[in-house]
Amino acid sequence: MKLGASYNLFDGEKLLEQSILSIRKHVDFISVVFQEVSNSGNPGNPDIASFLHGLLRRGLVTHVQVFNPDLTKHPYINERNKRNIGLELSKRYDCTHHISMGAYEFYNKEDFEIAKIE
């Protein structure tokens, strides 16, 4: 099994590193698909790209991808498209399994390992 995880991020980057650390040991590939503008057109943190590239340099994530929402579409369409980008990235990196995550999601490391084995 090769497990990929993709974080769907607009805000909440303060929680992201700890969430990544809760799964990093058991995941083969981690991407972050992020927005600089919300699905309703509101600006996000202007430093988000720099922060994420820092995680990339430290080896906590494998790939960082910006997502530009189509503001003419319903927000759930943008969210679906954004999550599908993460899925496609896992496939591109030859992952056989994928989990879509938010920065607010944390897993107990031991429980995650058991779930992955079963």
Side-chain angles (χ1 to χ4, degrees):
M1 171 193 297
K2 185 173 180 182
L3 180 58
S6 182
Y7 282 88
N8 179 5
L9 185 70
F10 170 66
D11 56 13
E13 64 273 7
K14 292 179 182 175
L15 301 171
L16 182 61
E17 184 172 346
Q18 288 303 311
S19 178
I20 291 169
L21 291 172
S22 78
I23 65 167
R24 188 64 186 115
K25 180 179 173 185
H26 306 292
V27 177
D28 302 293
F29 167 79
I30 296 179
S31 66
V32 179
V33 183
F34 74 101
Q35 293 174 236
E36 296 172 312
V37 175
S38 77
N39 292 326
S40 58
N42 296 319
N45 178 350
D47 299 323
I48 189 78
S50 176
F51 169 76
L52 294 173
H53 283 91
L55 295 179
L56 189 62
R57 283 190 301 276
R58 292 172 46 212
L60 292 177
V61 300
T62 315
H63 187 93
V64 172
Q65 176 85 36
V66 68
F67 173 77
N68 296 306
D70 181 343
L71 300 179
T72 66
K73 295 194 180 298
H74 195 280
Y76 79 85
I77 299 292
N78 283 312
E79 286 301 304
R80 183 192 64 207
N81 292 342
K82 190 172 164 189
R83 290 184 185 274
N84 282 338
I85 290 169
L87 174 60
E88 291 304 317
L89 287 168
S90 286
K91 288 179 182 179
R92 186 183 313 160
Y93 281 82
D94 298 320
C95 294
T96 59
H97 294 73
H98 174 78
I99 184 171
S100 184
M101 297 191 54
Y104 52 86
E105 295 179 65
F106 293 84
Y107 290 92
N108 176 288
K109 293 174 187 177
E110 293 78 21
D111 290 344
F112 194 90
E113 181 177 23
I114 291 167
K116 184 179 174 186
I117 292 169
E118 295 178 351

